[in-house]
C-alpha cells in the first residue's frame, strides 16, 4: 500500500524528531537503525526508503536538532538570560532535548564529511546569533570573538558538567562559567 505524500512527510518528521532526540541522549554511535525505527514506530525499511542510509539520516537528524533548538529561542531575550538557561541543571540533566552541540560535539571528529558540514553550519549559526546579542558598542570583530569564546565556554561547560560523576563539581562548573560569562 502506497503512502500519501502528506503521510510520508509526517513520517519523515517523526523519524527526524525521534532520531535527533535519541542521538542527543545516547550518542550517534549508541543508536542503531533498528532502535530508531522502533522508537519512531516505523519499520527498518521505511527508514531506508526515506533516507537511503544511516549516514544520510544522521546528517538530516543533526541539522533537524540544530534547527529545532534555534526555533525554541524567543525573539527577544538578554544574553544573560540565555547563559543562565543554557548553564542550568535542568539543561544539563536533559540531553535528549538539549543543545545538540554539547550532546554530539565529542563524536563529530569521527563522523562523515556530510554530518560534520551540517554540524559546522549549525555552530556558525550559533556564533552569528550570539554575535548579534553582544554589546552594540563593540566592533564587529570584537562581537564575533566574544561570541566564539562564549559558544566554546557554554558548550564546554555543559559537556564537562555532564561528564563528571561528582554532582557538586558539576554544579560548580555551571555556576563558575555562568558567572564568568555574565554581564
Amino acid at each position: 500500500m502506497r503512502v500519501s505524500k502528506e503521510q510520508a512527510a509526517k513520517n519523515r518528521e517523526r523519524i527526524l524528531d525521534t532520531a535527533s532526540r535519541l542521538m542527543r541522549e545516547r550518542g550517534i554511535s549508541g543508536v542503531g537503525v533498528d532502535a530508531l525505527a522502533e522508537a519512531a514506530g516505523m519499520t527498518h525499511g521505511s527508514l531506508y526508503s526515506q533516507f537511503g542510509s544511516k549516514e544520510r539520516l544522521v546528517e538530516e537528524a543533526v541539522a533537524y536538532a540544530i534547527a529545532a533548538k534555534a526555533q525554541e529561542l524567543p525573539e527577544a531575550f538578554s544574553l544573560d538570560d540565555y547563559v543562565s538557561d543554557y548553564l542550568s541543571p535542568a539543561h544539563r540533566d536533559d540531553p535528549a532535548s538539549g543543545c545538540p552541540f554539547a550532546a554530539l560535539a565529542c563524536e563529530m571528529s569521527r563522523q562523515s564529511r556530510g554530518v560534520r558540514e551540517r554540524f559546522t553550519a549549525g555552530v556558525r549559526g550559533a556564533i552569528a546569533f550570539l554575535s548579534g546579542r553582544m554589546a552594540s558598542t563593540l566592533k564587529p570583530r570584537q562581537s564575533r570573538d566574544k561570541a566564539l569564546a562564549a559558544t566554546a565556554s557554554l558548550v564546554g561547560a555543559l559537556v564537562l558538567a555532564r561528564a563528571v560523576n561528582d554532582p557538586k563539581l558539576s554544579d560548580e562548573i555551571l555556576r563558575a562559567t555562568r558567572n564568568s560569562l555574565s554581564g
Side-chain angles (χ1 to χ4, degrees):
M1 185 167 126
R2 284 197 67 82
V3 176
S4 70
K5 286 184 181 184
E6 183 179 304
Q7 187 59 49
K10 286 179 183 176
N11 291 348
R12 183 179 194 80
E13 177 84 12
R14 186 168 70 236
I15 292 166
L16 288 171
D17 184 61
T18 301
S20 71
R21 182 179 45 79
L22 286 177
M23 287 178 193
R24 283 180 281 172
E25 182 181 304
R26 301 178 192 171
I28 293 167
S29 60
V31 180
V33 174
D34 291 336
L36 287 172
E38 183 179 331
M42 308 293 291
T43 65
H44 187 267
S46 63
L47 257 72
Y48 280 108
S49 70
Q50 287 278 352
F51 299 97
S53 68
K54 181 181 178 187
E55 182 178 317
R56 181 71 178 161
L57 172 58
V58 171
E59 282 179 29
E60 292 195 36
V62 165
Y64 180 91
I66 292 167
K69 285 310 289 181
Q71 289 178 346
E72 289 177 11
L73 296 171
E75 288 263 336
F77 65 91
S78 74
L79 187 57
D80 283 344
D81 288 343
Y82 179 77
V83 168
S84 290
D85 287 345
Y86 192 97
L87 296 174
S88 68
H91 187 207
R92 175 198 58 208
D93 298 342
D94 189 15
S97 64
C99 175
F101 305 131
L104 302 174
C106 295
E107 290 187 84
M108 281 302 124
S109 65
R110 293 179 296 280
Q111 297 303 309
S112 71
R113 180 180 184 165
V115 173
R116 292 183 76 192
E117 284 174 357
R118 301 283 182 111
F119 190 84
T120 300
V123 171
R124 283 191 175 109
I127 292 164
F129 172 79
L130 287 178
S131 183
R133 297 291 191 274
M134 296 296 162
S136 60
T137 57
L138 296 175
K139 293 179 181 174
R141 179 59 186 226
Q142 292 171 315
S143 288
R144 180 167 169 78
D145 284 351
K146 285 194 171 287
L148 284 162
T151 301
S153 295
L154 289 165
V155 173
L158 194 57
V159 168
L160 285 175
R162 287 177 176 166
V164 299
N165 70 350
D166 178 347
K168 184 178 179 203
L169 177 59
S170 179
D171 288 342
E172 287 178 313
I173 291 167
L174 296 177
R175 180 193 46 75
T177 308
R178 250 190 334 266
N179 290 344
S180 74
L181 292 173
S182 292

